[in-house]
Amino acid sequence: MLSPKTKRDVARVIPFGVLWFVFALIYTMLEKGILGDLDHYPSTGVEYNFARNILTIPATGLMMGMLTGIFEVGYFSKCFIKNSFTRKIVFKSLIYLIIVVIFLITIMLINALDTHEPHSFQNLSSPARAFLTDYAVISTLLYIASIVVITQFYAEFSQSIGSGTLSNFFLGTYHHPVEEERIFMFLDMKSSTTIAENLGHVMYFEMLKEYFFDLSGAVIDYAGTIYQYAGDEMIVCWKLKDGLKKNNSIECFFAMKRALEKQQVKYNSKFGILPAFKAGLHFGMVTTGEIGSLKKEIIFTGDVLNTSARIQGLCNHFGADLLVSGDLARMLQLPATYAIRSVGENLLKGRSKTMELFAISFREDGQTK
């Protein structure tokens, strides 16, 4: 079974392969329209075979796209993550273009070796020199550069609004409202007002960037989706089955705590404090759909969001870092490593009936419940 992170990475790589495949197919058709019935490339004299190209060029494009996606997801997106939107596109596009040019020249040299006899340097250098100086090649490289830039725009937009959200827009998943059950976690930083006053607004904002970045890894690892950032608050959600599977919604919270603790030295040295947080969880039916005209978003509406926020608001009152609704707690199958205790029935603002809440903590002594 693939982990949620691996599934997410695969889903991020595939669109790169599809984009390159489509553009390579378009190029092959345009090339046929330009060359017509010619059996060779006029500039190099290399044999032209449309039947071969219609298979090899899109296949090569697919391979290049998948490799680009692997480099992007596995390496470059992390290296340039703190650069601005424009700088990331420019720098990464240049790197990818250099890689593609090297690959293209290699393919050309191999093709020249196969189609020129005997295999001498002189016979090889002639088409190679023509390839590197011909205007047609320059136009081809410009076409490839456009593919690189387009894929980088896709990568950055996908990262900015979330790959799942972008695919939902493309597929029209929520073009018409859909009802579904989801778990929501409202996660709020402790003593954020005091921290902001001590650090100053600019430094506080820098800390928020680091804070949300460090928390995001756990969301990915436990199959969650970041719905919104609201000031110092993060709203994470799961489809019900994904949040219940292996207790992902609970495990995510404690993985976030461990992620921050691992960065304690960084936070203390840069900001003089290690931020902490509290969270409230609840599940219920929501209506999901696209909304907006000038700015489109996919939003959730339903009582579960207000209830989750109210539950989180009671964390300080009960001295708990994590509170969950009784409805959700009874659906969980927590291992003995977690301690769960009822904090009683509570009448939440906006509700007519009381709701039992439970505090969940990590049992460090390893005792059974």
Side-chain angles (χ1 to χ4, degrees):
M1 293 291 291
L2 297 177
S3 68
K5 183 179 184 301
T6 302
K7 290 180 180 178
R8 181 179 181 271
D9 288 344
V10 171
R12 291 174 64 194
V13 169
I14 290 175
F16 285 89
V18 172
L19 284 170
W20 276 82
F21 176 83
V22 170
F23 279 106
L25 185 61
I26 292 172
Y27 171 82
T28 306
M29 301 305 296
L30 290 174
E31 185 181 60
K32 174 62 176 175
I34 294 171
L35 296 179
D37 295 328
L38 291 177
D39 60 0
H40 64 280
Y41 292 95
S43 59
T44 64
V46 175
E47 177 190 0
Y48 170 70
N49 186 316
F50 175 71
R52 178 190 62 194
N53 286 6
I54 197 65
L55 296 175
T56 58
I57 293 179
T60 301
L62 177 63
M63 182 177 67
M64 284 301 303
M66 297 298 285
L67 287 174
T68 300
I70 291 171
F71 284 136
E72 177 66 24
V73 173
Y75 183 71
F76 290 123
S77 63
K78 299 174 184 177
C79 290
F80 294 94
I81 195 167
K82 294 186 178 180
N83 290 87
S84 67
F85 184 89
T86 302
R87 288 171 67 90
K88 282 192 284 188
I89 289 178
V90 172
F91 290 158
K92 289 195 293 182
S93 294
L94 287 174
I95 293 172
Y96 287 128
L97 187 58
I98 291 171
I99 294 172
V100 170
V101 169
I102 293 173
F103 178 82
L104 193 63
I105 291 174
T106 302
I107 293 297
M108 182 278 305
L109 293 175
I110 293 172
N111 190 43
L113 280 171
D114 289 338
T115 55
H116 285 76
E117 296 290 348
H119 292 170
S120 67
F121 177 79
Q122 182 178 1
N123 289 331
L124 179 62
S125 63
S126 179
R129 192 180 304 108
F131 176 87
L132 294 172
T133 58
D134 190 78
Y135 178 79
V137 174
I138 297 175
S139 63
T140 301
L141 291 177
L142 288 175
Y143 184 79
I144 294 174
S146 69
I147 301 175
V148 171
V149 172
I150 289 171
T151 55
Q152 285 309 299
F153 266 103
Y154 163 80
E156 294 309 315
F157 277 120
S158 178
Q159 186 175 9
S160 295
I161 70 174
S163 56
T165 302
L166 187 61
S167 63
N168 286 332
F169 275 125
F170 276 129
L171 298 175
T173 306
Y174 298 114
H175 184 67
H176 299 289
V178 175
E179 286 190 323
E180 53 189 9
E181 281 190 301
R182 284 185 176 260
I183 297 173
F184 283 86
M185 176 167 67
F186 276 64
L187 187 144
D188 185 59
M189 184 187 293
K190 293 181 179 180
S191 306
S192 58
T193 301
T194 302
I195 295 173
E197 289 176 351
N198 292 336
L199 291 179
H201 292 296
V202 175
M203 186 61 69
Y204 175 67
F205 188 84
E206 290 296 326
M207 189 190 75
L208 275 182
K209 288 172 62 177
E210 298 278 353
Y211 170 75
F212 286 136
F213 176 80
D214 291 332
L215 296 183
S216 297
V219 178
I220 295 170
D221 290 339
Y222 291 95
T225 300
I226 297 175
Y227 171 43
Q228 283 181 347
Y229 298 106
D232 63 329
E233 189 173 67
M234 175 192 286
I235 304 173
V236 185
C237 68
W238 294 260
K239 289 185 177 180
L240 182 59
K241 65 176 183 178
D242 295 330
L244 293 177
K245 184 178 180 181
K246 297 181 180 179
N247 300 306
N248 277 333
S249 55
I250 304 300
E251 295 287 354
C252 179
F253 174 84
F254 290 99
M256 287 175 165
K257 290 178 70 71
R258 292 192 296 271
L260 282 190
E261 289 168 0
K262 289 179 180 178
Q263 300 296 329
Q264 183 172 358
V265 173
K266 178 186 72 173
Y267 282 98
N268 286 334
S269 62
K270 293 180 68 174
F271 310 108
I273 188 172
L274 177 67
F277 54 84
K278 55 190 184 295
L281 282 93
H282 183 45
F283 87 95
M285 190 69 69
V286 293
T287 301
T288 312
E290 294 180 20
I291 196 169
S293 176
L294 296 178
K295 180 180 182 293
K296 284 189 175 293
E297 287 187 37
I298 294 176
I299 69 164
F300 304 103
T301 59
D303 179 65
V304 59
L305 285 94
N306 290 328
T307 301
S308 301
R310 304 298 184 199
I311 292 173
Q312 181 272 123
L314 290 174
C315 284
N316 287 341
H317 178 72
F318 292 110
D321 287 342
L322 178 62
L323 286 178
V324 303
S325 66
D327 293 339
L328 177 58
R330 283 182 278 272
M331 297 184 71
L332 296 169
Q333 296 180 347
L334 296 175
T337 50
Y338 291 106
I340 180 168
R341 64 180 175 88
S342 173
V343 297
E345 297 281 342
N346 292 267
L347 183 61
L348 302 179
K349 185 178 180 180
R351 295 179 64 92
S352 58
K353 296 182 179 180
T354 60
M355 173 181 287
E356 186 176 14
L357 302 180
F358 290 84
I360 298 177
S361 58
F362 188 72
R363 189 185 294 275
E364 296 183 359
D365 57 14
Q367 298 176 6
T368 58
K369 292 181 284 186

